[in-house]
Amino acid sequence: MVIIMLGAPGTGKGTVASILTEKLGVPQVSTGDIFRANIKEGTELGKLAESYMSQGKLVPDDVTIDLVRNRLKEDDVKNGIILDGFPRTVLQAQELDKMLEEQGRKVDLVINLTTPREEIFERLVNRRVCSNSNCKTVYNIVLNPPKVEGICDKCGGELIQRKDDRKETLEARLEDYEKTTSPLVDYYEEKGNLRTEIVSKSANRMGKDVAEDIIKLFN
Ligand code: ADP
Ligand code: ZN
């Protein structure tokens, strides 16, 4: 089972993907998380990715495609994968189709999360994430705050703001989405495996309820 999470930054892709992972038992692979882990470890890939991410720009296709190509060969994703943040360009989508075809599989479901534009901005500037790399729980200091300010409810880790969630880089990211990623909606619509989910403002709807609706699709 290959599931793709599509949607602008701040629509809840990561949140929904992590719930789906738990319920379906299929691993979540987030290219953004992989890049952030590499930045933390100071690898060459991390240095390269940071030079783009810090400006709110996409990491170049060749680098990102190679990364996913290698990840898809690993054992844990043999029976399924939830891709969160990939593909983000039409070229990435075309290459993904080729990679999967070589492995005798295909994209089964594309979930397109949409959120009214004016809410996205608010969500992103208020987003905080757990800095514990085994946890990475996402909070919103307005909609879904932790019990204790700055501390993760689940693991006690420190909550941080992602650098690219600052106002300065948000515009660039949202613009990139419109220009480069949103054409993927047509790409997958033509293939007939797109499901669009309107995500409303409440924190609950952002995660749990949406994931439940999606799970119903598999029953
Ligand atoms: P969000 O969906 O909130 O933007 P992500 O964690 O998915 O967050 O991505 C963070 C950043 O990582 C992106 O802005 C981009 O710079 C980089 N990135 C992640 N996935 C890709 C991709 N598939 N192609 C190019 N760049 C990517
Ligand atoms: Zn945590």
Side-chain angles (χ1 to χ4, degrees), residues 68-118:
V68 173
R69 180 176 288 118
N70 290 327
R71 186 66 186 83
L72 273 176
K73 288 178 188 154
E74 285 174 40
D75 268 351
D76 65 322
V77 297
K78 279 227 164 87
N79 294 323
I81 186 166
I82 300 173
L83 283 166
D84 160 18
F86 184 93
R88 251 184 164 92
T89 66
V90 172
L91 183 69
Q92 289 180 12
Q94 289 165 337
E95 290 299 316
L96 176 65
D97 282 343
K98 282 189 216 160
M99 293 175 216
L100 291 172
E101 204 185 322
E102 277 165 24
Q103 296 187 326
R105 45 187 185 168
K106 60 170 179 49
V107 173
D108 296 293
L109 179 67
V110 180
I111 298 159
N112 181 33
L113 299 176
T114 55
T115 302
R117 181 65 176 230
E118 56 281 11

mmCIF file of all heavy atoms in Angstrom, residues 68-118:
data_model
loop_
_atom_site.group_PDB
_atom_site.id
_atom_site.type_symbol
_atom_site.label_atom_id
_atom_site.label_comp_id
_atom_site.label_asym_id
_atom_site.label_seq_id
_atom_site.Cartn_x
_atom_site.Cartn_y
_atom_site.Cartn_z
ATOM 1 N N VAL A 68 14.798 9.323 -1.819
ATOM 2 C CA VAL A 68 13.601 8.483 -1.742
ATOM 3 C C VAL A 68 13.833 7.142 -2.443
ATOM 4 O O VAL A 68 13.385 6.095 -1.968
ATOM 5 C CB VAL A 68 12.370 9.221 -2.319
ATOM 6 C CG1 VAL A 68 11.157 8.303 -2.396
ATOM 7 C CG2 VAL A 68 12.051 10.450 -1.474
ATOM 8 N N ARG A 69 14.581 7.181 -3.540
ATOM 9 C CA ARG A 69 14.857 5.934 -4.261
ATOM 10 C C ARG A 69 15.543 4.942 -3.310
ATOM 11 O O ARG A 69 15.169 3.769 -3.243
ATOM 12 C CB ARG A 69 15.739 6.212 -5.477
ATOM 13 C CG ARG A 69 16.044 4.944 -6.267
ATOM 14 C CD ARG A 69 16.829 5.192 -7.542
ATOM 15 N NE ARG A 69 16.025 5.826 -8.566
ATOM 16 C CZ ARG A 69 16.274 7.031 -9.082
ATOM 17 N NH1 ARG A 69 17.316 7.719 -8.667
ATOM 18 N NH2 ARG A 69 15.485 7.528 -10.011
ATOM 19 N N ASN A 70 16.510 5.413 -2.549
ATOM 20 C CA ASN A 70 17.211 4.538 -1.603
ATOM 21 C C ASN A 70 16.317 4.104 -0.461
ATOM 22 O O ASN A 70 16.361 2.950 -0.042
ATOM 23 C CB ASN A 70 18.462 5.242 -1.062
ATOM 24 C CG ASN A 70 19.520 5.386 -2.144
ATOM 25 O OD1 ASN A 70 19.640 4.517 -3.015
ATOM 26 N ND2 ASN A 70 20.254 6.476 -2.114
ATOM 27 N N ARG A 71 15.510 5.018 0.007
ATOM 28 C CA ARG A 71 14.631 4.698 1.140
ATOM 29 C C ARG A 71 13.611 3.622 0.759
ATOM 30 O O ARG A 71 13.272 2.754 1.559
ATOM 31 C CB ARG A 71 13.914 5.980 1.599
ATOM 32 C CG ARG A 71 13.080 5.845 2.859
ATOM 33 C CD ARG A 71 13.932 5.566 4.075
ATOM 34 N NE ARG A 71 13.138 5.291 5.273
ATOM 35 C CZ ARG A 71 12.612 4.111 5.586
ATOM 36 N NH1 ARG A 71 12.788 3.074 4.776
ATOM 37 N NH2 ARG A 71 11.921 3.948 6.702
ATOM 38 N N LEU A 72 13.150 3.679 -0.489
ATOM 39 C CA LEU A 72 12.136 2.717 -0.953
ATOM 40 C C LEU A 72 12.665 1.292 -1.045
ATOM 41 O O LEU A 72 11.903 0.340 -1.128
ATOM 42 C CB LEU A 72 11.613 3.141 -2.332
ATOM 43 C CG LEU A 72 10.454 4.128 -2.367
ATOM 44 C CD1 LEU A 72 10.141 4.513 -3.811
ATOM 45 C CD2 LEU A 72 9.202 3.533 -1.722
ATOM 46 N N LYS A 73 14.003 1.168 -1.058
ATOM 47 C CA LYS A 73 14.596 -0.173 -1.174
ATOM 48 C C LYS A 73 14.700 -0.858 0.176
ATOM 49 O O LYS A 73 15.030 -2.028 0.260
ATOM 50 C CB LYS A 73 15.993 -0.062 -1.794
ATOM 51 C CG LYS A 73 15.955 0.286 -3.272
ATOM 52 C CD LYS A 73 17.362 0.429 -3.830
ATOM 53 C CE LYS A 73 17.317 0.965 -5.247
ATOM 54 N NZ LYS A 73 18.548 1.687 -5.597
ATOM 55 N N GLU A 74 14.457 -0.109 1.249
ATOM 56 C CA GLU A 74 14.624 -0.695 2.579
ATOM 57 C C GLU A 74 13.480 -1.650 2.929
ATOM 58 O O GLU A 74 12.365 -1.514 2.438
ATOM 59 C CB GLU A 74 14.800 0.421 3.618
ATOM 60 C CG GLU A 74 16.208 1.012 3.525
ATOM 61 C CD GLU A 74 16.418 2.223 4.418
ATOM 62 O OE1 GLU A 74 15.918 2.209 5.553
ATOM 63 O OE2 GLU A 74 17.085 3.167 3.951
ATOM 64 N N ASP A 75 13.831 -2.613 3.786
ATOM 65 C CA ASP A 75 12.904 -3.691 4.124
ATOM 66 C C ASP A 75 11.596 -3.241 4.779
ATOM 67 O O ASP A 75 10.540 -3.784 4.486
ATOM 68 C CB ASP A 75 13.594 -4.677 5.081
ATOM 69 C CG ASP A 75 14.263 -5.790 4.308
ATOM 70 O OD1 ASP A 75 14.029 -5.866 3.072
ATOM 71 O OD2 ASP A 75 15.011 -6.571 4.925
ATOM 72 N N ASP A 76 11.700 -2.251 5.663
ATOM 73 C CA ASP A 76 10.519 -1.879 6.449
ATOM 74 C C ASP A 76 9.383 -1.303 5.605
ATOM 75 O O ASP A 76 8.247 -1.264 6.057
ATOM 76 C CB ASP A 76 10.905 -0.886 7.564
ATOM 77 C CG ASP A 76 11.403 0.437 7.009
ATOM 78 O OD1 ASP A 76 12.115 0.416 5.980
ATOM 79 O OD2 ASP A 76 11.087 1.489 7.581
ATOM 80 N N VAL A 77 9.675 -0.863 4.388
ATOM 81 C CA VAL A 77 8.613 -0.273 3.563
ATOM 82 C C VAL A 77 8.158 -1.210 2.434
ATOM 83 O O VAL A 77 7.447 -0.802 1.528
ATOM 84 C CB VAL A 77 9.032 1.115 2.982
ATOM 85 C CG1 VAL A 77 9.267 2.099 4.113
ATOM 86 C CG2 VAL A 77 10.254 1.029 2.087
ATOM 87 N N LYS A 78 8.579 -2.469 2.538
ATOM 88 C CA LYS A 78 8.215 -3.453 1.503
ATOM 89 C C LYS A 78 6.704 -3.618 1.368
ATOM 90 O O LYS A 78 6.176 -3.763 0.272
ATOM 91 C CB LYS A 78 8.837 -4.817 1.836
ATOM 92 C CG LYS A 78 10.286 -4.908 1.413
ATOM 93 C CD LYS A 78 10.562 -6.213 0.670
ATOM 94 C CE LYS A 78 11.877 -6.155 -0.096
ATOM 95 N NZ LYS A 78 13.017 -6.553 0.719
ATOM 96 N N ASN A 79 6.012 -3.614 2.514
ATOM 97 C CA ASN A 79 4.560 -3.841 2.464
ATOM 98 C C ASN A 79 3.745 -2.563 2.396
ATOM 99 O O ASN A 79 2.526 -2.614 2.269
ATOM 100 C CB ASN A 79 4.113 -4.670 3.668
ATOM 101 C CG ASN A 79 4.690 -6.064 3.604
ATOM 102 O OD1 ASN A 79 4.800 -6.647 2.525
ATOM 103 N ND2 ASN A 79 5.105 -6.590 4.743
ATOM 104 N N GLY A 80 4.400 -1.445 2.509
ATOM 105 C CA GLY A 80 3.651 -0.205 2.425
ATOM 106 C C GLY A 80 4.430 0.982 2.930
ATOM 107 O O GLY A 80 5.403 0.839 3.678
ATOM 108 N N ILE A 81 3.994 2.149 2.504
ATOM 109 C CA ILE A 81 4.674 3.373 2.909
ATOM 110 C C ILE A 81 3.679 4.537 2.849
ATOM 111 O O ILE A 81 2.789 4.555 1.976
ATOM 112 C CB ILE A 81 5.900 3.639 1.990
ATOM 113 C CG1 ILE A 81 6.733 4.829 2.474
ATOM 114 C CG2 ILE A 81 5.468 3.871 0.539
ATOM 115 C CD1 ILE A 81 8.110 4.921 1.817
ATOM 116 N N ILE A 82 3.798 5.426 3.808
ATOM 117 C CA ILE A 82 3.026 6.667 3.740
ATOM 118 C C ILE A 82 4.030 7.781 3.493
ATOM 119 O O ILE A 82 4.872 8.072 4.346
ATOM 120 C CB ILE A 82 2.250 6.930 5.048
ATOM 121 C CG1 ILE A 82 1.284 5.767 5.317
ATOM 122 C CG2 ILE A 82 1.479 8.259 4.970
ATOM 123 C CD1 ILE A 82 0.586 5.848 6.661
ATOM 124 N N LEU A 83 3.981 8.356 2.305
ATOM 125 C CA LEU A 83 4.927 9.414 1.945
ATOM 126 C C LEU A 83 4.356 10.764 2.338
ATOM 127 O O LEU A 83 3.281 11.155 1.904
ATOM 128 C CB LEU A 83 5.217 9.370 0.444
ATOM 129 C CG LEU A 83 6.173 8.277 -0.017
ATOM 130 C CD1 LEU A 83 6.108 8.105 -1.531
ATOM 131 C CD2 LEU A 83 7.601 8.583 0.425
ATOM 132 N N ASP A 84 5.121 11.460 3.164
ATOM 133 C CA ASP A 84 4.672 12.741 3.704
ATOM 134 C C ASP A 84 5.687 13.804 3.263
ATOM 135 O O ASP A 84 6.814 13.806 3.729
ATOM 136 C CB ASP A 84 4.585 12.584 5.242
ATOM 137 C CG ASP A 84 4.610 13.888 5.999
ATOM 138 O OD1 ASP A 84 4.347 14.947 5.397
ATOM 139 O OD2 ASP A 84 4.894 13.834 7.210
ATOM 140 N N GLY A 85 5.293 14.627 2.312
ATOM 141 C CA GLY A 85 6.221 15.655 1.820
ATOM 142 C C GLY A 85 6.945 15.272 0.538
ATOM 143 O O GLY A 85 7.804 15.997 0.059
ATOM 144 N N PHE A 86 6.611 14.144 -0.014
ATOM 145 C CA PHE A 86 7.159 13.690 -1.297
ATOM 146 C C PHE A 86 6.056 12.947 -2.032
ATOM 147 O O PHE A 86 5.380 12.140 -1.410
ATOM 148 C CB PHE A 86 8.361 12.763 -1.082
ATOM 149 C CG PHE A 86 9.031 12.352 -2.387
ATOM 150 C CD1 PHE A 86 10.098 13.070 -2.880
ATOM 151 C CD2 PHE A 86 8.551 11.259 -3.101
ATOM 152 C CE1 PHE A 86 10.707 12.695 -4.087
ATOM 153 C CE2 PHE A 86 9.145 10.898 -4.300
ATOM 154 C CZ PHE A 86 10.229 11.611 -4.787
ATOM 155 N N PRO A 87 5.858 13.161 -3.321
ATOM 156 C CA PRO A 87 6.521 14.128 -4.200
ATOM 157 C C PRO A 87 6.020 15.556 -3.984
ATOM 158 O O PRO A 87 4.923 15.770 -3.484
ATOM 159 C CB PRO A 87 6.128 13.632 -5.599
ATOM 160 C CG PRO A 87 4.809 12.976 -5.413
ATOM 161 C CD PRO A 87 4.862 12.349 -4.053
ATOM 162 N N ARG A 88 6.862 16.493 -4.373
ATOM 163 C CA ARG A 88 6.530 17.905 -4.255
ATOM 164 C C ARG A 88 6.666 18.629 -5.585
ATOM 165 O O ARG A 88 6.379 19.818 -5.661
ATOM 166 C CB ARG A 88 7.490 18.556 -3.261
ATOM 167 C CG ARG A 88 6.863 18.942 -1.935
ATOM 168 C CD ARG A 88 7.943 19.641 -1.137
ATOM 169 N NE ARG A 88 7.446 20.380 -0.033
ATOM 170 C CZ ARG A 88 7.327 19.902 1.202
ATOM 171 N NH1 ARG A 88 7.615 18.658 1.452
ATOM 172 N NH2 ARG A 88 6.901 20.686 2.170
ATOM 173 N N THR A 89 7.128 17.925 -6.595
ATOM 174 C CA THR A 89 7.192 18.509 -7.941
ATOM 175 C C THR A 89 6.701 17.438 -8.919
ATOM 176 O O THR A 89 6.698 16.242 -8.579
ATOM 177 C CB THR A 89 8.645 18.882 -8.346
ATOM 178 O OG1 THR A 89 9.420 17.671 -8.453
ATOM 179 C CG2 THR A 89 9.307 19.806 -7.329
ATOM 180 N N VAL A 90 6.315 17.879 -10.123
ATOM 181 C CA VAL A 90 5.836 16.910 -11.110
ATOM 182 C C VAL A 90 6.949 15.920 -11.459
ATOM 183 O O VAL A 90 6.702 14.717 -11.564
ATOM 184 C CB VAL A 90 5.281 17.627 -12.364
ATOM 185 C CG1 VAL A 90 4.976 16.627 -13.466
ATOM 186 C CG2 VAL A 90 4.011 18.406 -12.009
ATOM 187 N N LEU A 91 8.185 16.403 -11.566
ATOM 188 C CA LEU A 91 9.293 15.489 -11.854
ATOM 189 C C LEU A 91 9.428 14.422 -10.755
ATOM 190 O O LEU A 91 9.608 13.237 -11.046
ATOM 191 C CB LEU A 91 10.616 16.262 -12.011
ATOM 192 C CG LEU A 91 11.801 15.380 -12.396
ATOM 193 C CD1 LEU A 91 11.681 14.853 -13.820
ATOM 194 C CD2 LEU A 91 13.127 16.132 -12.239
ATOM 195 N N GLN A 92 9.306 14.841 -9.517
ATOM 196 C CA GLN A 92 9.379 13.870 -8.409
ATOM 197 C C GLN A 92 8.269 12.829 -8.536
ATOM 198 O O GLN A 92 8.489 11.636 -8.303
ATOM 199 C CB GLN A 92 9.278 14.578 -7.052
ATOM 200 C CG GLN A 92 10.510 15.394 -6.693
ATOM 201 C CD GLN A 92 10.389 16.094 -5.333
ATOM 202 O OE1 GLN A 92 9.498 15.810 -4.547
ATOM 203 N NE2 GLN A 92 11.299 17.018 -5.062
ATOM 204 N N ALA A 93 7.076 13.282 -8.923
ATOM 205 C CA ALA A 93 5.946 12.352 -9.060
ATOM 206 C C ALA A 93 6.195 11.359 -10.191
ATOM 207 O O ALA A 93 5.935 10.158 -10.052
ATOM 208 C CB ALA A 93 4.653 13.130 -9.311
ATOM 209 N N GLN A 94 6.733 11.855 -11.307
ATOM 210 C CA GLN A 94 7.011 10.973 -12.438
ATOM 211 C C GLN A 94 8.073 9.944 -12.061
ATOM 212 O O GLN A 94 7.950 8.759 -12.383
ATOM 213 C CB GLN A 94 7.482 11.799 -13.647
ATOM 214 C CG GLN A 94 6.361 12.616 -14.265
ATOM 215 C CD GLN A 94 6.887 13.699 -15.215
ATOM 216 O OE1 GLN A 94 8.049 14.127 -15.115
ATOM 217 N NE2 GLN A 94 6.034 14.154 -16.122
ATOM 218 N N GLU A 95 9.116 10.410 -11.377
ATOM 219 C CA GLU A 95 10.188 9.500 -10.973
ATOM 220 C C GLU A 95 9.676 8.477 -9.957
ATOM 221 O O GLU A 95 10.076 7.320 -9.988
ATOM 222 C CB GLU A 95 11.375 10.282 -10.397
ATOM 223 C CG GLU A 95 12.127 11.093 -11.446
ATOM 224 C CD GLU A 95 12.732 10.222 -12.554
ATOM 225 O OE1 GLU A 95 13.324 9.171 -12.241
ATOM 226 O OE2 GLU A 95 12.595 10.596 -13.744
ATOM 227 N N LEU A 96 8.813 8.921 -9.079
ATOM 228 C CA LEU A 96 8.242 7.991 -8.092
ATOM 229 C C LEU A 96 7.464 6.888 -8.801
ATOM 230 O O LEU A 96 7.591 5.708 -8.469
ATOM 231 C CB LEU A 96 7.332 8.736 -7.103
ATOM 232 C CG LEU A 96 6.607 7.845 -6.099
ATOM 233 C CD1 LEU A 96 7.578 7.156 -5.139
ATOM 234 C CD2 LEU A 96 5.583 8.651 -5.299
ATOM 235 N N ASP A 97 6.669 7.272 -9.793
ATOM 236 C CA ASP A 97 5.917 6.267 -10.548
ATOM 237 C C ASP A 97 6.857 5.232 -11.162
ATOM 238 O O ASP A 97 6.581 4.029 -11.134
ATOM 239 C CB ASP A 97 5.084 6.940 -11.661
ATOM 240 C CG ASP A 97 3.809 7.583 -11.110
ATOM 241 O OD1 ASP A 97 3.412 7.242 -9.976
ATOM 242 O OD2 ASP A 97 3.212 8.429 -11.806
ATOM 243 N N LYS A 98 7.981 5.711 -11.688
ATOM 244 C CA LYS A 98 8.951 4.785 -12.300
ATOM 245 C C LYS A 98 9.564 3.852 -11.262
ATOM 246 O O LYS A 98 9.666 2.646 -11.489
ATOM 247 C CB LYS A 98 10.079 5.579 -12.981
ATOM 248 C CG LYS A 98 9.692 6.158 -14.324
ATOM 249 C CD LYS A 98 10.946 6.722 -15.005
ATOM 250 C CE LYS A 98 10.616 7.975 -15.784
ATOM 251 N NZ LYS A 98 11.797 8.808 -16.066
ATOM 252 N N MET A 99 9.960 4.436 -10.129
ATOM 253 C CA MET A 99 10.580 3.612 -9.070
ATOM 254 C C MET A 99 9.631 2.520 -8.616
ATOM 255 O O MET A 99 10.011 1.376 -8.422
ATOM 256 C CB MET A 99 10.880 4.465 -7.819
ATOM 257 C CG MET A 99 11.912 5.517 -7.963
ATOM 258 S SD MET A 99 11.931 6.433 -6.372
ATOM 259 C CE MET A 99 12.247 8.080 -6.955
ATOM 260 N N LEU A 100 8.366 2.911 -8.422
ATOM 261 C CA LEU A 100 7.390 1.955 -7.919
ATOM 262 C C LEU A 100 7.126 0.871 -8.957
ATOM 263 O O LEU A 100 7.022 -0.314 -8.633
ATOM 264 C CB LEU A 100 6.086 2.663 -7.538
ATOM 265 C CG LEU A 100 6.165 3.571 -6.312
ATOM 266 C CD1 LEU A 100 4.879 4.372 -6.136
ATOM 267 C CD2 LEU A 100 6.453 2.769 -5.041
ATOM 268 N N GLU A 101 7.053 1.299 -10.213
ATOM 269 C CA GLU A 101 6.805 0.339 -11.284
ATOM 270 C C GLU A 101 7.902 -0.725 -11.329
ATOM 271 O O GLU A 101 7.631 -1.916 -11.466
ATOM 272 C CB GLU A 101 6.715 1.083 -12.617
ATOM 273 C CG GLU A 101 5.920 0.313 -13.667
ATOM 274 C CD GLU A 101 5.940 1.015 -15.017
ATOM 275 O OE1 GLU A 101 5.880 2.266 -15.025
ATOM 276 O OE2 GLU A 101 6.032 0.309 -16.040
ATOM 277 N N GLU A 102 9.142 -0.271 -11.153
ATOM 278 C CA GLU A 102 10.271 -1.209 -11.129
ATOM 279 C C GLU A 102 10.114 -2.241 -10.017
ATOM 280 O O GLU A 102 10.598 -3.356 -10.120
ATOM 281 C CB GLU A 102 11.595 -0.459 -10.909
ATOM 282 C CG GLU A 102 12.173 0.116 -12.190
ATOM 283 C CD GLU A 102 13.269 1.144 -11.918
ATOM 284 O OE1 GLU A 102 13.893 1.079 -10.830
ATOM 285 O OE2 GLU A 102 13.488 2.014 -12.784
ATOM 286 N N GLN A 103 9.459 -1.827 -8.946
ATOM 287 C CA GLN A 103 9.264 -2.740 -7.806
ATOM 288 C C GLN A 103 7.938 -3.485 -7.909
ATOM 289 O O GLN A 103 7.560 -4.182 -6.973
ATOM 290 C CB GLN A 103 9.277 -1.946 -6.497
ATOM 291 C CG GLN A 103 10.599 -1.260 -6.201
ATOM 292 C CD GLN A 103 10.595 -0.630 -4.809
ATOM 293 O OE1 GLN A 103 9.567 -0.155 -4.321
ATOM 294 N NE2 GLN A 103 11.746 -0.627 -4.164
ATOM 295 N N GLY A 104 7.243 -3.297 -9.014
ATOM 296 C CA GLY A 104 5.951 -3.974 -9.196
ATOM 297 C C GLY A 104 4.846 -3.403 -8.330
ATOM 298 O O GLY A 104 3.911 -4.114 -7.961
ATOM 299 N N ARG A 105 4.949 -2.144 -7.977
ATOM 300 C CA ARG A 105 3.850 -1.542 -7.234
ATOM 301 C C ARG A 105 3.494 -0.170 -7.786
ATOM 302 O O ARG A 105 4.099 0.282 -8.745
ATOM 303 C CB ARG A 105 4.130 -1.501 -5.733
ATOM 304 C CG ARG A 105 5.497 -1.031 -5.322
ATOM 305 C CD ARG A 105 5.615 -1.223 -3.818
ATOM 306 N NE ARG A 105 6.867 -0.689 -3.307
ATOM 307 C CZ ARG A 105 7.095 -0.529 -2.021
ATOM 308 N NH1 ARG A 105 6.183 -0.821 -1.138
ATOM 309 N NH2 ARG A 105 8.257 -0.064 -1.609
ATOM 310 N N LYS A 106 2.490 0.436 -7.196
ATOM 311 C CA LYS A 106 2.013 1.718 -7.693
ATOM 312 C C LYS A 106 1.463 2.555 -6.543
ATOM 313 O O LYS A 106 1.268 2.036 -5.437
ATOM 314 C CB LYS A 106 0.931 1.499 -8.747
ATOM 315 C CG LYS A 106 -0.267 0.730 -8.196
ATOM 316 C CD LYS A 106 -1.426 0.728 -9.159
ATOM 317 C CE LYS A 106 -2.618 -0.054 -8.650
ATOM 318 N NZ LYS A 106 -3.085 0.207 -7.294
ATOM 319 N N VAL A 107 1.168 3.801 -6.827
ATOM 320 C CA VAL A 107 0.524 4.659 -5.836
ATOM 321 C C VAL A 107 -0.919 4.179 -5.676
ATOM 322 O O VAL A 107 -1.642 4.033 -6.660
ATOM 323 C CB VAL A 107 0.534 6.128 -6.306
ATOM 324 C CG1 VAL A 107 -0.282 7.001 -5.371
ATOM 325 C CG2 VAL A 107 1.965 6.646 -6.411
ATOM 326 N N ASP A 108 -1.330 3.899 -4.447
ATOM 327 C CA ASP A 108 -2.690 3.422 -4.226
ATOM 328 C C ASP A 108 -3.653 4.539 -3.888
ATOM 329 O O ASP A 108 -4.817 4.503 -4.254
ATOM 330 C CB ASP A 108 -2.703 2.391 -3.092
ATOM 331 C CG ASP A 108 -1.917 1.164 -3.471
ATOM 332 O OD1 ASP A 108 -2.348 0.449 -4.388
ATOM 333 O OD2 ASP A 108 -0.837 0.943 -2.886
ATOM 334 N N LEU A 109 -3.171 5.492 -3.111
ATOM 335 C CA LEU A 109 -4.074 6.543 -2.654
ATOM 336 C C LEU A 109 -3.307 7.842 -2.455
ATOM 337 O O LEU A 109 -2.214 7.857 -1.892
ATOM 338 C CB LEU A 109 -4.711 6.116 -1.318
ATOM 339 C CG LEU A 109 -5.665 7.104 -0.661
ATOM 340 C CD1 LEU A 109 -6.927 7.283 -1.480
ATOM 341 C CD2 LEU A 109 -6.022 6.625 0.744
ATOM 342 N N VAL A 110 -3.883 8.927 -2.934
ATOM 343 C CA VAL A 110 -3.312 10.248 -2.704
ATOM 344 C C VAL A 110 -4.314 11.037 -1.886
ATOM 345 O O VAL A 110 -5.462 11.183 -2.278
ATOM 346 C CB VAL A 110 -3.047 10.991 -4.030
ATOM 347 C CG1 VAL A 110 -2.449 12.369 -3.775
ATOM 348 C CG2 VAL A 110 -2.138 10.183 -4.929
ATOM 349 N N ILE A 111 -3.886 11.488 -0.748
ATOM 350 C CA ILE A 111 -4.783 12.273 0.098
ATOM 351 C C ILE A 111 -4.366 13.727 -0.002
ATOM 352 O O ILE A 111 -3.224 14.077 0.283
ATOM 353 C CB ILE A 111 -4.713 11.775 1.551
ATOM 354 C CG1 ILE A 111 -5.192 10.329 1.601
ATOM 355 C CG2 ILE A 111 -5.551 12.662 2.460
ATOM 356 C CD1 ILE A 111 -4.715 9.586 2.807
ATOM 357 N N ASN A 112 -5.285 14.544 -0.450
ATOM 358 C CA ASN A 112 -4.976 15.966 -0.627
ATOM 359 C C ASN A 112 -5.666 16.756 0.474
ATOM 360 O O ASN A 112 -6.882 16.889 0.481
ATOM 361 C CB ASN A 112 -5.461 16.408 -2.008
ATOM 362 C CG ASN A 112 -5.159 17.854 -2.291
ATOM 363 O OD1 ASN A 112 -4.149 18.389 -1.835
ATOM 364 N ND2 ASN A 112 -6.026 18.509 -3.042
ATOM 365 N N LEU A 113 -4.898 17.249 1.398
ATOM 366 C CA LEU A 113 -5.477 18.018 2.498
ATOM 367 C C LEU A 113 -5.508 19.489 2.121
ATOM 368 O O LEU A 113 -4.518 20.037 1.659
ATOM 369 C CB LEU A 113 -4.643 17.834 3.764
ATOM 370 C CG LEU A 113 -4.535 16.410 4.290
ATOM 371 C CD1 LEU A 113 -3.606 16.360 5.497
ATOM 372 C CD2 LEU A 113 -5.897 15.863 4.670
ATOM 373 N N THR A 114 -6.653 20.099 2.288
ATOM 374 C CA THR A 114 -6.739 21.527 1.980
ATOM 375 C C THR A 114 -7.253 22.291 3.193
ATOM 376 O O THR A 114 -8.083 21.789 3.947
ATOM 377 C CB THR A 114 -7.674 21.792 0.784
ATOM 378 O OG1 THR A 114 -8.941 21.211 1.069
ATOM 379 C CG2 THR A 114 -7.143 21.181 -0.491
ATOM 380 N N THR A 115 -6.727 23.455 3.362
ATOM 381 C CA THR A 115 -7.098 24.315 4.489
ATOM 382 C C THR A 115 -7.183 25.741 3.959
ATOM 383 O O THR A 115 -6.333 26.134 3.161
ATOM 384 C CB THR A 115 -6.007 24.256 5.575
ATOM 385 O OG1 THR A 115 -5.858 22.906 5.990
ATOM 386 C CG2 THR A 115 -6.358 25.112 6.779
ATOM 387 N N PRO A 116 -8.187 26.506 4.362
ATOM 388 C CA PRO A 116 -8.260 27.889 3.897
ATOM 389 C C PRO A 116 -6.946 28.636 4.149
ATOM 390 O O PRO A 116 -6.355 28.524 5.221
ATOM 391 C CB PRO A 116 -9.395 28.482 4.745
ATOM 392 C CG PRO A 116 -10.237 27.311 5.116
ATOM 393 C CD PRO A 116 -9.298 26.147 5.248
ATOM 394 N N ARG A 117 -6.531 29.342 3.117
ATOM 395 C CA ARG A 117 -5.241 30.021 3.101
ATOM 396 C C ARG A 117 -4.954 30.864 4.352
ATOM 397 O O ARG A 117 -3.880 30.804 4.943
ATOM 398 C CB ARG A 117 -5.220 30.911 1.842
ATOM 399 C CG ARG A 117 -3.977 31.683 1.602
ATOM 400 C CD ARG A 117 -2.832 30.749 1.338
ATOM 401 N NE ARG A 117 -1.642 31.495 1.006
ATOM 402 C CZ ARG A 117 -0.877 31.254 -0.039
ATOM 403 N NH1 ARG A 117 -1.180 30.270 -0.847
ATOM 404 N NH2 ARG A 117 0.196 31.968 -0.263
ATOM 405 N N GLU A 118 -5.983 31.639 4.764
ATOM 406 C CA GLU A 118 -5.741 32.561 5.883
ATOM 407 C C GLU A 118 -5.464 31.805 7.191
ATOM 408 O O GLU A 118 -4.831 32.336 8.097
ATOM 409 C CB GLU A 118 -6.902 33.554 6.034
ATOM 410 C CG GLU A 118 -8.293 32.968 6.214
ATOM 411 C CD GLU A 118 -8.953 32.477 4.899
ATOM 412 O OE1 GLU A 118 -8.272 32.392 3.857
ATOM 413 O OE2 GLU A 118 -10.157 32.154 4.945
#
